[in-house]
Amino acid sequence: MWLNGTSELIEHLKRKGAKRVALQFPEGLKRRSATVAAALRDAGFEVILSGDPCYGACDLALDTLTHADVLVHFGHAPVDEQPKVIFEPYAVDFDVAVLENALPFFKGDPVGLVTTVQHVHLIPAMELFLQSNGISCRVAEGGGRTPNRGQVLGCSFAAAKASGADEILFVGTGLFHPIGIALATHARVIALDPLTGSAQEVSGDALMRRRFAVMEKARGAKNVGIIVSTKSGQQRMDLARRLASLTPAAVIVTMREVNPDELLNLGFACYVNTACPRLAYDDQVRFPVPVLSPQEFEILCGVRTWDAYTIDEIV
Amino acid sequence: MWLNGTSELIEHLKRKGAKRVALQFPEGLKRRSATVAAALRDAGFEVILSGDPCYGACDLALDTLTHADVLVHFGHAPVDEQPKVIFEPYAVDFDVAVLENALPFFKGDPVGLVTTVQHVHLIPAMELFLQSNGISCRVAEGGGRTPNRGQVLGCSFAAAKASGADEILFVGTGLFHPIGIALATHARVIALDPLTGSAQEVSGDALMRRRFAVMEKARGAKNVGIIVSTKSGQQRMDLARRLASLTPAAVIVTMREVNPDELLNLGFACYVNTACPRLAYDDQVRFPVPVLSPQEFEILCGVRTWDAYTIDEIV
């Protein structure tokens, strides 16, 4: 898309009257940044590249706008309103016939269909394929943090919930999204990796068992740091204040990158993560002490029942 | 000082009318943050702790001021004007008689005397000790990035230069400061570690040889990233723009933490560091490609002579 279309981007920037342009690439695309920067500089723009780590549109390099008229963010759709940011998604194609591998898993229909941002352009083709195989299919409209039809994020499964289906097909790589969908919707979830073609039914049970163990370990901690992200789309200070009010042992801690070294240096006995929800679920093994989700902390503080356990989403 | 004086800090904050207080500790003092936070919370303040890495007053957690009336920064003296920041230095004492170990190294006098912020309160006692041993001593007044008499930073040797002495005594830990002083002043430099008592004459020759090797490796690099820090006291965008104008192969790259992974991900063949000067000199072994100082890059671009090689300082 944009790699063939640097000329389109250049036209867009000229129409906007931008002279100084900041560029931000996520980790997987950073290697291309020197090439894109050179193309824009040759077209007459003053270019600044953001060199900080970036894993989503929740982490915009807005600090570059001190020195630039516009920020071009590659690889993600917007999670919030950002008038001075141009979002350039990165589309990854595949042959939708690979969905055949998911067909044997369906027990009925309709099936809810969701995917991640790099594949959302294939949603219409995937719908057609399923329909032509006799599966009626529901795709929720975009909105909130997921502006594209059928799009999910690791912190927002709204499109899966809004499909209203009892069976959901997630098309994408990795198991974090489909496990999150299972916990958020209580639907049957089929995960299809469109690049390898492997399909499987996914359950949240193993994650839940691991989380209960982490909660047990956190019980009785002598103090707790409530982590608040300073990233543009991850700041949940109101939530953090509410959580901190649940116990006198809590202190609010602001962090840009939540990493094990800093958690160790600060020395709290446990943390509650209000930054990117995946950090607690995916990275616990890297952390020196328990890192709880907001909902898990509420359960330990006695203000949420175990039955009301749910996966953390940013709304 | 401040550990005994949390009550003094509390009085100070009350006089200022602060209600919401942000706290920032450098890495070596971070472990104490939970205790100080608890004391302030018990005194009725709303407390926010900065959890990001911090290595100097050049790296203020100004983002916490979105949620706090005042930021208390521990362990360093200010490097710039910051009306909403309270600086709480951390004094490390020693017996000034340890300076006896440096006496045999002096070839004449006067001797310039400099130290780092945690020992500046001992400057008068050190002057007295030297004088009582027959050494006349020069201590430059504070100013610029080093507000205390006789204070040096890893990025500012102004107090050493301003002493005007041909022999300089540096009292402090590590060899980076005295090597920097040697390169910045061309004086004889004696380094005394006041905690171990070891004294030695220090030369910049070995560092220079390593730097020339790095410069040779950078020669002919196909592209170059000019690193600009986004930290409060390390931003040198004007310098970066001037350096970037020296070659069409340069792109300006903004970074908060300059770390090897990001330099590798970005994929430039070499970098020029306008952030904390120590990064290029101290951390080259960690970096995947050459990271030059501004002056070294100017030499390679032919706009500075080899004879004008000097150590990078922030002014």
Side-chain angles (χ1 to χ4, degrees):
Chain A
M1 303 274 286
W2 56 268
L3 263 189
N4 304 324
T6 304
S7 59
E8 267 177 54
L9 174 60
I10 288 170
E11 285 313 307
H12 187 165
L13 290 167
K14 283 185 176 164
R15 278 198 307 277
K16 273 183 97 81
K19 293 200 173 355
R20 303 176 308 160
V21 179
L23 305 177
Q24 182 179 31
F25 295 81
E27 295 315 280
L29 300 177
K30 262 207 171 68
R31 273 267 161 182
R32 312 195 184 188
S33 52
T35 310
V36 177
L40 263 66
R41 194 194 47 215
D42 292 348
F45 297 100
E46 189 182 318
V47 179
I48 290 173
L49 205 56
S50 169
D52 290 323
C54 173
Y55 301 97
C58 51
D59 184 12
L60 297 172
L62 298 180
D63 50 5
T64 58
L65 290 171
T66 317
H67 306 290
D69 307 318
V70 64
L71 167 65
V72 185
H73 178 95
F74 292 90
H76 305 111
V79 300
D80 50 18
E81 289 277 328
Q82 294 289 351
K84 294 182 90 174
V85 182
I86 295 174
F87 292 89
E88 287 280 326
Y90 178 61
V92 176
D93 280 321
F94 56 83
D95 180 351
V96 296
V98 74
L99 267 67
E100 195 166 358
N101 297 352
L103 299 179
F105 288 88
F106 299 140
K107 293 193 173 167
D109 64 3
V111 168
L113 174 65
V114 292
T115 187
T116 48
V117 66
Q118 64 268 41
H119 306 311
V120 287
H121 63 294
L122 295 175
I123 282 272
M126 290 193 275
E127 283 178 284
L128 264 177
F129 179 87
L130 290 175
Q131 281 157 9
S132 69
N133 280 273
I135 305 284
S136 78
C137 174
R138 284 196 197 157
V139 181
E141 293 305 311
R145 286 171 82 81
T146 47
N148 299 286
R149 278 188 76 226
Q151 183 198 352
V152 289
L153 284 169
C155 62
S156 177
F157 309 110
K161 283 184 269 194
S163 75
D166 296 327
E167 282 189 317
I168 292 172
L169 171 62
F170 167 80
V171 180
T173 48
L175 290 181
F176 181 80
H177 291 83
I179 288 173
I181 293 166
L183 291 171
T185 63
H186 303 287
R188 276 190 78 224
V189 178
I190 312 304
L192 173 74
D193 184 322
L195 306 180
T196 66
S198 87
Q200 61 184 298
E201 185 174 342
V202 168
S203 149
D205 291 350
L207 178 66
M208 289 290 285
R209 284 196 298 273
R210 288 201 305 274
R211 298 311 302 170
F212 291 162
V214 171
M215 290 170 71
E216 265 319 299
K217 214 173 148 196
R219 195 185 294 278
K222 72 177 191 304
N223 57 20
V224 51
I226 314 282
I227 299 168
V228 179
S229 175
T230 53
K231 296 185 177 187
S232 57
Q234 296 183 20
Q235 290 176 25
R236 291 193 281 175
M237 184 58 91
D238 290 345
L239 170 62
R241 288 208 164 105
R242 186 169 64 68
L243 296 172
S245 73
L246 296 177
T247 161
V251 177
I252 290 176
V253 180
T254 62
M255 302 186 93
R256 175 148 288 273
E257 304 299 335
V258 179
N259 71 56
D261 288 347
E262 293 310 309
L263 298 190
L264 195 65
N265 280 347
L266 286 162
F268 285 90
C270 98
Y271 294 87
V272 180
N273 169 49
T274 74
C276 170
R278 289 190 68 159
L279 289 171
Y281 305 119
D282 266 9
D283 292 352
Q284 180 63 58
V285 68
R286 297 170 53 227
F287 294 139
V289 293
V291 178
L292 303 174
S293 75
Q295 295 78 16
E296 291 162 354
F297 183 62
E298 287 174 340
I299 291 172
L300 284 187
C301 290
V303 297
R304 177 187 286 264
T305 64
W306 283 94
D307 288 345
Y309 186 101
T310 188
I311 193 156
D312 186 30
E313 296 179 78
I314 301 183
V315 287
Chain B
M1 302 277 284
W2 56 266
L3 263 189
N4 305 324
T6 305
S7 60
E8 268 178 52
L9 175 59
I10 287 169
E11 286 313 309
H12 187 164
L13 290 167
K14 282 183 177 163
R15 280 198 305 278
K16 274 184 95 79
K19 293 198 173 0
R20 303 175 308 161
V21 178
L23 305 177
Q24 182 179 31
F25 295 82
E27 296 314 282
L29 299 176
K30 263 207 170 68
R31 273 267 162 182
R32 313 195 182 187
S33 51
T35 309
V36 178
L40 265 66
R41 195 194 44 215
D42 292 348
F45 297 99
E46 188 182 319
V47 179
I48 290 173
L49 204 56
S50 170
D52 290 323
C54 173
Y55 301 98
C58 51
D59 185 12
L60 297 172
L62 298 179
D63 50 5
T64 58
L65 290 171
T66 317
H67 307 290
D69 307 318
V70 65
L71 167 65
V72 184
H73 178 95
F74 292 91
H76 305 110
V79 299
D80 49 17
E81 289 277 329
Q82 295 289 351
K84 296 182 90 174
V85 182
I86 296 173
F87 293 87
E88 287 280 326
Y90 179 60
V92 176
D93 279 321
F94 57 83
D95 180 351
V96 296
V98 75
L99 267 65
E100 196 166 358
N101 297 353
L103 299 179
F105 288 89
F106 299 139
K107 294 194 172 162
D109 63 1
V111 168
L113 174 64
V114 293
T115 187
T116 49
V117 64
Q118 64 269 40
H119 307 310
V120 287
H121 63 295
L122 296 175
I123 282 272
M126 290 193 274
E127 285 177 286
L128 266 178
F129 179 88
L130 290 174
Q131 281 156 10
S132 68
N133 281 274
I135 305 285
S136 78
C137 173
R138 286 197 195 154
V139 182
E141 293 304 311
R145 287 171 82 81
T146 48
N148 299 288
R149 277 188 77 228
Q151 182 198 351
V152 289
L153 284 169
C155 61
S156 176
F157 309 110
K161 281 183 272 194
S163 76
D166 295 329
E167 282 190 315
I168 292 173
L169 172 61
F170 167 80
V171 180
T173 48
L175 290 181
F176 182 78
H177 292 83
I179 288 173
I181 292 166
L183 291 172
T185 62
H186 304 287
R188 275 190 80 224
V189 178
I190 313 304
L192 173 74
D193 184 323
L195 307 181
T196 65
S198 87
Q200 60 185 300
E201 183 175 342
V202 168
S203 147
D205 292 350
L207 177 66
M208 290 288 286
R209 284 195 299 275
R210 288 201 306 274
R211 298 310 302 170
F212 291 161
V214 171
M215 290 170 72
E216 263 321 297
K217 217 174 145 193
R219 194 186 292 280
K222 71 177 192 302
N223 57 22
V224 51
I226 313 282
I227 299 168
V228 179
S229 175
T230 53
K231 296 185 176 186
S232 59
Q234 295 183 19
Q235 291 177 24
R236 291 193 282 175
M237 184 57 91
D238 291 344
L239 170 62
R241 287 208 165 106
R242 187 169 62 69
L243 295 172
S245 74
L246 296 177
T247 161
V251 177
I252 289 175
V253 180
T254 62
M255 301 186 94
R256 175 147 288 273
E257 303 299 335
V258 179
N259 71 57
D261 288 347
E262 294 310 311
L263 299 190
L264 195 64
N265 280 346
L266 287 162
F268 285 90
C270 101
Y271 294 87
V272 180
N273 170 48
T274 74
C276 170
R278 288 190 68 158
L279 289 171
Y281 304 119
D282 266 8
D283 292 351
Q284 180 63 58
V285 66
R286 297 170 52 229
F287 294 139
V289 293
V291 178
L292 303 174
S293 75
Q295 295 78 12
E296 291 162 354
F297 183 62
E298 287 173 340
I299 292 173
L300 284 186
C301 290
V303 298
R304 177 187 286 265
T305 63
W306 283 94
D307 287 346
Y309 186 102
T310 188
I311 193 156
D312 187 30
E313 296 180 78
I314 301 183
V315 287

